[in-house]
């Protein structure tokens, strides 16, 4: 089993004490977002958890508690963009805080296990292609030697964020211009020793030197664990997504980063309501099990098949 921690919220930033408490207890609960009365109980024993994929924009709390997860193989997707607080209002300063944290985390766990995400990329009168090129180059220069891979994607206009996108005057680039822009990012990344991958993009960027990537990446997990992964493509993700199947442990409407492009938060009021229910010792993240809930133990198993042959 591979754990996703989490596409829905920034657990390493805001809820890592909860996650570590669940590791100690050996299980956690996840509410089904499509059926509010269904709750799954997930076994967290090292025998069945093959790898953990963390997603964060600020791993400070996680970095203080890495010893708690030392029994588990894991890697970190670290989003670091050139946006200001008009787009990402809940984050510390990139130049003075987050770049240093990326470098420190890389020194702690190794550059292979820290993946830089410059995504999602949105274009508007402030964040023009030229702005992104300059920001991407500046960050890449600071992260040279601290990561081997950068992931890019372009903002999708989900119904939940269309109002935000309209307020930001977000626009799409013509395909020809988008391909040229992507090629320029790939060239910058290569100069700094990084490969560029796209995340769930329908557009083919092979000519730009950008391959379709996988955030839950079977090949990387095999490198980290030394075992052959038998997991299949995750059918719960978009058609363009290359991720293998994993179990998501997060909860929607709980991320306090406040990013304007985020599809996982419906409103600030919803986030305040859910975050207000946070109990680091509860089995469920930002919520309680109700009397009419149906709690089911989910059948999980290791997806590693022996050792890789050389």
């Amino acid at each position: 089993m591979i754990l996703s921690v989490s596409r829905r919220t920034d657990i390493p930033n805001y809820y890592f004490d909860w996650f570590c408490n669940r590791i100690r207890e050996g299980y956690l609960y996840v509410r089904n977002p499509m059926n509010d009365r269904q709750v799954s109980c997930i076994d967290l024993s090292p025998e069945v958890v093959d790898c953990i994929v963390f997603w964060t924009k600020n791993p400070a709390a996680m970095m203080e508690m890495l010893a708690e997860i030392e029994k588990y193989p894991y890697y970190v997707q670290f989003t670091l963009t050139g946006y200001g607080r008009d787009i990402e209002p809940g984050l510390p300063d990139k130049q003075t805080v987050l770049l240093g944290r990326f470098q420190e985390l890389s020194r702690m766990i190794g550059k292979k296990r820290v993946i830089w995400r410059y995504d999602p990329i949105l274009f508007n009168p402030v964040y023009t292609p030229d702005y992104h090129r300059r920001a991407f180059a500046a960050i890449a220069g600071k992260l040279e030697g601290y990561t081997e891979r950068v992931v890019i994607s372009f903002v999708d206009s989900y119904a939940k964020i269309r109002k935000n996108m309209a307020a930001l005057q977000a626009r799409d680039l013509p395909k020809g211009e988008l391909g040229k822009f992507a090629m320029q990012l790939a060239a910058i990344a290569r100069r700094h020793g990084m490969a560029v991958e796209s995340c769930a993009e329908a557009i083919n960027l092979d000519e730009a030197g950008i391959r379709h990537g996988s955030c839950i990446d079977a090949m990387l997990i095999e490198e980290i664990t030394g075992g052959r992964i038998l997991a299949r493509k995750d059918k719960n993700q978009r058609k363009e997504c290359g991720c293998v199947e994993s179990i998501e442990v997060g909860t929607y409407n709980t991320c306090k980063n406040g990013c304007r492009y985020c599809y996982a938060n419906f409103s600030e009021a919803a986030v305040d309501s859910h975050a207000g229910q946070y109990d680091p010792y509860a089995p469920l993240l930002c919520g309680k099990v109700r009397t009419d809930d149906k709690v089911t133990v989910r059948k999980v198993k290791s997806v590693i098949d022996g050792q890789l042959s050389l």
Side-chain angles (χ1 to χ4, degrees):
M1 169 181 66
I2 301 163
L3 287 183
S4 170
V5 186
S6 152
R7 285 183 174 99
R8 297 172 184 166
T9 189
D10 195 336
I11 287 175
N13 191 358
Y14 298 108
Y15 306 115
F16 202 69
D17 51 349
W18 170 82
F19 185 72
C20 290
N21 286 333
R22 301 325 311 150
I23 290 288
R24 295 187 199 106
E25 292 289 330
Y27 73 96
L28 59 76
Y29 286 172
V30 181
R31 188 176 297 281
N32 186 337
M34 307 303 293
N35 186 333
D36 193 53
R37 293 292 180 257
Q38 289 186 352
V39 175
S40 294
C41 177
I42 309 298
D43 182 2
L44 296 180
S45 62
E47 291 73 26
V48 296
V49 178
D50 299 306
C51 191
I52 306 172
V53 181
F54 292 104
W55 316 68
T56 188
K57 291 183 170 74
N58 181 8
M62 176 184 183
M63 290 162 68
E64 295 177 0
M65 303 176 73
L66 288 180
E68 299 283 348
I69 56 172
E70 62 184 2
K71 294 180 181 178
Y72 299 87
Y74 65 90
Y75 62 96
V76 180
Q77 302 262 351
F78 191 142
T79 299
L80 190 52
T81 70
Y83 297 122
R85 289 200 171 96
D86 56 334
I87 305 291
E88 296 175 337
L91 299 181
D93 185 76
K94 312 288 177 65
Q95 291 289 334
T96 60
V97 178
L98 291 179
L99 280 167
R101 282 196 185 141
F102 192 110
Q103 294 166 344
E104 183 181 355
L105 180 62
S106 177
R107 286 191 288 264
M108 294 171 79
I109 68 174
K111 64 180 181 179
K112 184 180 294 294
R113 294 203 289 158
V114 189
I115 296 168
W116 172 31
R117 300 184 69 93
Y118 190 92
D119 83 315
I121 299 170
L122 69 84
F123 301 103
N124 73 1
V126 174
Y127 299 103
T128 62
D130 185 56
Y131 178 97
H132 281 296
R133 279 189 291 267
R134 288 185 281 109
F136 186 88
I139 297 171
K142 295 289 187 180
L143 299 186
E144 181 173 349
Y146 293 97
T147 187
E148 297 177 347
R149 186 187 312 191
V150 56
V151 177
I152 66 168
S153 72
F154 301 98
V155 71
D156 288 310
S157 188
Y158 293 103
K160 298 169 188 173
I161 63 169
R162 281 179 191 152
K163 186 176 180 181
N164 282 354
M165 292 300 100
L168 292 169
Q169 302 179 60
R171 66 182 182 90
D172 294 328
L173 289 188
K175 279 191 177 180
E177 192 176 339
L178 189 63
K180 180 181 177 182
F181 170 80
M183 192 174 295
Q184 290 165 336
L185 294 194
I188 293 167
R190 283 193 296 270
R191 287 201 297 271
H192 294 285
M194 304 172 197
V196 187
E197 298 177 354
S198 64
C199 175
E201 286 296 327
I203 184 173
N204 189 329
L205 298 173
D206 287 347
E207 290 186 5
I210 299 173
R211 72 178 185 92
H212 289 289
S214 306
C215 303
I216 310 287
D217 187 344
M219 291 178 62
L220 178 57
I221 293 170
E222 287 178 345
E223 281 190 65
I224 291 171
T225 64
R228 186 164 65 96
I229 296 294
L230 301 178
R232 300 164 294 182
K233 173 178 163 47
D234 193 336
K235 63 180 183 297
N236 295 315
Q237 302 301 321
R238 290 173 287 172
K239 179 180 68 174
E240 297 83 10
C241 179
C243 292
V244 296
E245 55 194 350
S246 62
I247 292 180
E248 169 62 50
V249 307
T251 301
Y252 288 116
N253 292 306
T254 58
C255 186
K256 294 184 280 188
N257 289 331
C259 303
R260 302 306 183 209
Y261 50 71
C262 182
Y263 65 88
N265 288 344
F266 305 158
S267 69
E268 291 183 15
V271 173
D272 289 343
S273 175
H274 283 82
Q277 300 176 53
Y278 178 55
D279 177 353
Y281 298 100
L284 197 64
L285 179 61
C286 294
K288 296 180 180 179
V289 177
R290 302 181 294 252
T291 56
D292 56 346
D293 283 336
K294 181 180 180 181
V295 179
T296 304
V297 176
R298 183 162 177 173
K299 294 180 180 179
V300 295
K301 63 180 182 179
S302 171
V303 293
I304 289 183
D305 180 29
Q307 297 295 309
L308 286 173
S309 58
L310 297 178

